[in-house]
Amino acid sequence: SWFGWGGLSKILRSAFRSDPLILQGGTNKDLIVMEALEGEEWVVNTVSLLGVHKVTDAWRGPPKVVLEWEGGAQFVYTAQFLAEEHPRRAAVLEYTFACLDALGVRNGAAHTELIWTVLGPRLLEVNARPAGGLPRTPRSPNQLEALAMSLYDADHFLSLPTAPVGAAADDGHGEGQSAAVVFLRAPFNGYILGTALQQIVSLRTFGRFERDAIGLARFAEVAQGAGPPPPPSPVA
């Protein structure tokens, strides 16, 4: 393990000390420990129909970091990049299809996470669902569009390429097909100044805020010219 036994023991103990209630209302009585995989992390989003798999977007990025927070520890992403054309990308996609076939995923969306190790791609998990949050790829069809297409326009879906071409650099006129996701996680509670947010959203490469930054997302709309937020509704 890259933690060493002391670090791994601390994480396991932390897992059992945490709140025993889980989202489904059950109780944590068991803990699954898997092999530690070291290397670049990959995410592949797919849609399948009758065993035919189509990739909508594939992302790569540095390994997650371990963040200790309020007595516990968790793995968090720092950044992901839309994967460019590369033999490694082709190998990851082929491996993903093999995993979907082995698990019997023949229809619907899937979100697969992998690690590129010294031995090649290795599976972390396959989630038989769309990726969390809104689609991040700058291309169409994204995963949700492809999923709807597979349900209501099967012929069109089956005519899609197995995977879109890899990311390409921006040509300076906004015509590139590259994208990046940056995960910002503050190590302590605090405030972000409005001027700092203004600098972020004014970047030409800025797309949107997401997840736990709903208020920030509305701030970005206003800062980019969508107009001021509506006044609060009167309370009877």
Side-chain angles (χ1 to χ4, degrees):
S1 168
W2 60 80
F3 304 108
W5 173 243
L8 180 59
S9 298
K10 182 177 180 181
I11 289 175
L12 296 180
R13 289 195 299 270
S14 173
F16 279 108
R17 284 198 309 267
S18 62
D19 188 346
L21 295 180
I22 58 177
L23 293 178
Q24 289 76 15
T27 301
N28 288 325
K29 296 181 179 178
D30 301 293
L31 182 68
I32 297 175
V33 181
M34 65 179 292
E35 175 188 4
L37 300 172
E38 298 184 62
E40 186 177 57
E41 299 207 9
W42 284 73
V43 171
V44 180
N45 294 315
T46 56
V47 175
S48 304
L49 178 63
L50 302 176
V52 177
H53 309 303
K54 304 291 186 178
V55 174
T56 56
D57 47 310
W59 303 79
R60 62 174 183 82
K64 298 184 185 76
V65 298
V66 180
L67 178 66
E68 295 191 15
W69 183 261
E70 296 180 350
Q74 58 182 294
F75 296 97
V76 296
Y77 286 111
T78 55
Q80 291 179 331
F81 306 92
L82 193 63
E84 69 279 10
E85 285 293 324
H86 191 277
R88 182 175 293 187
R89 177 180 183 266
V92 166
L93 300 188
E94 182 179 0
Y95 184 89
T96 299
F97 292 160
C99 291
L100 296 175
D101 290 338
L103 294 172
V105 179
R106 294 179 48 80
N107 296 285
H111 175 77
T112 302
E113 299 185 14
L114 314 97
I115 301 290
W116 184 273
T117 72
V118 293
L119 300 176
R122 291 294 183 269
L123 179 66
L124 278 181
E125 60 185 42
V126 173
N127 302 279
R129 57 161 175 78
L134 295 173
R136 296 165 176 161
T137 177
R139 300 165 173 162
S140 184
N142 59 45
Q143 191 180 32
L144 297 183
E145 293 169 338
L147 178 59
M149 191 186 302
S150 73
L151 296 172
Y152 297 105
D153 193 352
D155 290 340
H156 190 185
F157 174 81
L158 293 173
S159 71
L160 294 174
T162 300
V165 297
D170 194 327
D171 64 359
H173 301 284
E175 299 299 327
Q177 292 290 295
S178 59
V181 181
V182 179
F183 299 83
L184 302 177
R185 186 65 179 267
F188 49 82
N189 293 326
Y191 298 91
I192 301 178
L193 296 177
T195 52
L197 292 176
Q198 184 72 53
Q199 290 179 323
I200 294 174
V201 301
S202 64
L203 294 172
R204 186 173 61 84
T205 54
F206 176 82
R208 68 175 187 266
F209 290 115
E210 195 176 323
R211 299 275 178 119
D212 296 330
I214 302 302
L216 296 183
R218 182 59 186 141
F219 174 90
E221 293 176 1
V222 174
Q224 292 179 323
S233 301
V235 178

